Amino acid sequence: MHPSKQGWGFFAAVVMIAFIVLANPGSAASNKLVITGSSTVAPLVGEIARRFESRNPGVRIDVQTGGSSRGIYDVRNGVADIGMVSRALKPDETDLQAFTLAMDGISMILHASNPVEALNQQQVVDIYSGRVSNWKSVGGRNARITVVNKAEGRSTLTLFLDYFSLKNSEIKPHIVIGDNPQGIKTIAGNANAIGYVSIGAAEFEINYGVPVKLLPLDRVDASVDTVRRGIFPLSRPLNLISRPAPQGLAKEFIDFARSTQVHDLIEAQYYVPVSIH
Amino acid sequence: MPEITFVRSRSILRDRLVQLLVYAAVLVVSGVFIWILADLVRGGVAHLSWNFFVDSPRDAGRAGGIGPILVSTALILLVALVVALPLAWATAVLLAEFVPATSKFGTIVRYSLQVLAGVPSIVFGLFGNAFFSIYLGLGFSILSGGLTLACMLLPILVSTAEAGLRAVPENYRMSAAALGMSRTATLLHLLLPAAAPALAAGLLLGIGRAVAETAALLFTSGYVERMPGSLLDSGRALALHIFDLSMNVPGGDAPAYASALVLVVLLLAINIVAMKLAYGLQRKRIMPA
């Protein structure tokens, strides 16, 4: 017995297998699309891509995540064919073309046990800038307010700041969060917390019994329904972006993602398909 | 006399107290592990089934299984180990056996490895994305993920292997030299087997860190949940899948728990097997019956 020879033999076999797998060229690059960007949009586009692949054999669509800013960066650099951005494009982003897939609303959420039923704009601004720090001042119980804010670079943060005319430097957050379900979990675990998240994500969790509630905004109920009817004041488009104008496979995919063939997928992620407007 | 009894009873009391504290510490440590495991079992065991292990994820991971994700994770790990192990263990042999412990060269290598060990994994991820994915043109692929992890594993593998080799008693080397064994033969037949438990422990730490890695893989091996066809395909790692399910997919908690349970059980199994193998190797090579 020469265990060392066995060891080297095993090692050599592993290396050979690795190279055999490596040598397999996979699919041709022309039938492949790379899509990167917003983590809010990525699960939805992943589902759309799977359906597109099953209807077009031989096509491969790789969906990567990392945030809206990353989607824009990757499309500009040519790393991605299509980007995902969970907000409208800004004036300095006119080099890109946006194609809206779906709409999503953003609203304030509180713990379900919090007696506060509504907050007006000034109250939200006061709470987030630290001028009001106790729920008693806005008609709640005597308890300190825990302010939950979104991390820099998140589209939800940009939209929230725009809507309430706040600057991020004015906000005095106690907790900074990333993705929507993280925000919902944070509020569900703290009876005195306030945050803002995607209405779709919140409605999904509320249906599963998570103890949070959505607050109306400017007296409009926050629900997928009011976003669908176009009356909810703080809503955003979920966009696919490309530069230059999409051609070939990219165009086929964008057209498919905006067609009625994927509306069930969009609704399954609690977003609102656009052509229903 | 009463004075002595008093002193003795006091020292007995102190011994008991120390014993109690030690047991309490052990209880807390294993309690944390059992709590985590129990929590994972409670949240995930109902979701486990054979199909969960072989199916592809559906509905953003809320339904379906983790088949392709297990395959991607295994391939990423394989690439990382195939690249990192020879490099790391060769470096450790150089540092422990061929370079004096106090030499300038050894100190520089060791210092740079220590710095590397302290670098946060997201930095490795950004480096891997910039170097492997973009500069070398590997794109989002299992290969770039595995290579990024290999860079991350080097410091752990080198330092554990070096410590293991240094712990081999000096008279082993003397005896081998006295018997006229070459340095290569001494290394292969005596020193490495004698250090096998340390090598295995380092390997396990490395595997544990690699399998648990999320940040470094997000921008290198990527987010694609399809069954990989080659090492140049993007493939989602298990830890990344758990992170996405619990933080980015509303209603993804049950599959996240189940996936985490699979991850922990997998790590336990790898631990047990590797420890057994290392012990067996050590006994067979340097303690012949």
Side-chain angles (χ1 to χ4, degrees), chain B residues 31-80:
Chain B
V32 167
F33 172 70
I34 290 168
W35 190 348
I36 292 175
L37 199 63
D39 194 44
L40 289 181
V41 169
R42 188 186 53 76
V45 81
H47 203 80
L48 284 182
S49 66
W50 173 248
N51 287 334
F52 186 72
F53 288 94
V54 291
D55 282 355
S56 296
R58 276 177 289 114
D59 191 15
R62 293 183 197 110
I66 52 169
I69 288 158
L70 285 177
V71 172
S72 304
T73 310
L75 286 175
I76 293 169
L77 186 63
L78 191 75
V79 171

Side-chain angles (χ1 to χ4, degrees), chain A residues 11 14 18 21-22 24 39 42-43 47 50 53 60-65 70 179 181-182 185 201 204-205 269, chain B residues 57-60 62 78 82 86 129 140 218-219 222-226 229-231 233-234 246-248 250-251 253:
Chain A
F11 180 68
V14 166
V21 178
L22 181 64
N24 174 6
S39 60
E47 288 301 309
R50 198 197 315 277
E53 284 174 346
R60 282 199 23 214
I61 297 174
D62 286 0
V63 179
Q64 310 289 355
T65 175
R70 175 150 205 103
D179 300 317
Q182 188 187 1
K185 278 177 184 153
F204 186 101
E205 301 273 6
Q269 306 295 328
Chain B
R58 276 177 289 114
D59 191 15
R62 293 183 197 110
L78 191 75
V82 163
N129 180 260
F140 289 99
L218 185 57
F219 299 139
Y223 185 72
V224 175
E225 46 188 37
R226 196 188 308 104
S230 81
L231 290 188
D233 280 355
S234 168
S246 62
M247 288 301 164
N248 193 33
D253 279 346

